[in-house]
């Protein structure tokens, strides 16, 4: 390092200080247990979009027997073995260095 007049301080207990401040200030999510509870709530919550999609799929199944198969097919994910060149759109392309 080159001394440019800056002062650096290494804070080794930043997490401890943040936890103390959270308790002192009375933050709603001041403990790791509260954080995990919030995370579980978010991960298990159902979004409006998911509810709408499920209702739409149910309506398709109810009104159209052929549509039920389409709705079921749309809900399944397919994965195919592809290479990075195929994903990037570069399959079949080659580059060559040419000196002039």
């Amino acid at each position: 390092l080159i001394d440019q007049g800056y002062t650096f301080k290494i804070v080794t207990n930043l997490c401890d200080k943040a936890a103390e401040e959270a308790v002192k200030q009375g933050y709603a999510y001041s403990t790791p247990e509260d954080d995990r509870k919030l995370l579980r709530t978010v991960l298990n919550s159902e979004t409006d979009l998911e509810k709408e999609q499920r209702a739409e799929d149910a309506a398709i199944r109810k009104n159209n027997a052929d549509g039920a198969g389409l709705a079921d097919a749309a809900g399944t994910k397919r994965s195919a073995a592809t290479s990075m060149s195929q994903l990037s759109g570069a399959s079949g392309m080659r580059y060559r260095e040419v000196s002039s």
Side-chain angles (χ1 to χ4, degrees):
L1 291 174
I2 299 172
D3 183 12
Q4 297 180 349
Y6 298 106
T7 303
F8 297 96
K9 181 178 180 183
I10 298 173
V11 180
T12 57
N13 58 351
L14 184 61
C15 292
D16 297 334
K17 287 185 177 187
E20 290 172 12
E21 187 69 20
V23 172
K24 186 169 80 174
Q25 295 291 331
Y27 293 156
Y29 303 102
S30 59
T31 64
E33 292 82 23
D34 293 337
D35 291 342
R36 284 190 287 276
K37 184 179 176 184
L38 174 64
L39 181 60
R40 276 192 299 275
T41 301
V42 170
L43 291 176
N44 292 330
S45 69
E46 188 174 46
T47 65
D48 291 337
L49 181 61
E50 290 170 327
K51 289 177 185 176
E52 290 173 13
Q53 184 66 43
R54 198 167 297 112
E56 184 178 317
D57 290 347
I60 290 172
R61 283 188 187 89
K62 181 180 178 182
N63 295 327
N64 185 351
D66 293 333
L70 292 174
D72 291 336
T76 59
K77 293 182 180 178
R78 295 184 321 178
S79 62
T82 58
S83 67
M84 288 303 293
S85 62
Q86 290 172 328
L87 292 173
S88 66
S91 62
M93 299 185 79
R94 301 287 183 258
Y95 294 94
R96 181 173 53 153
E97 183 176 334
V98 179
S99 61
S100 53

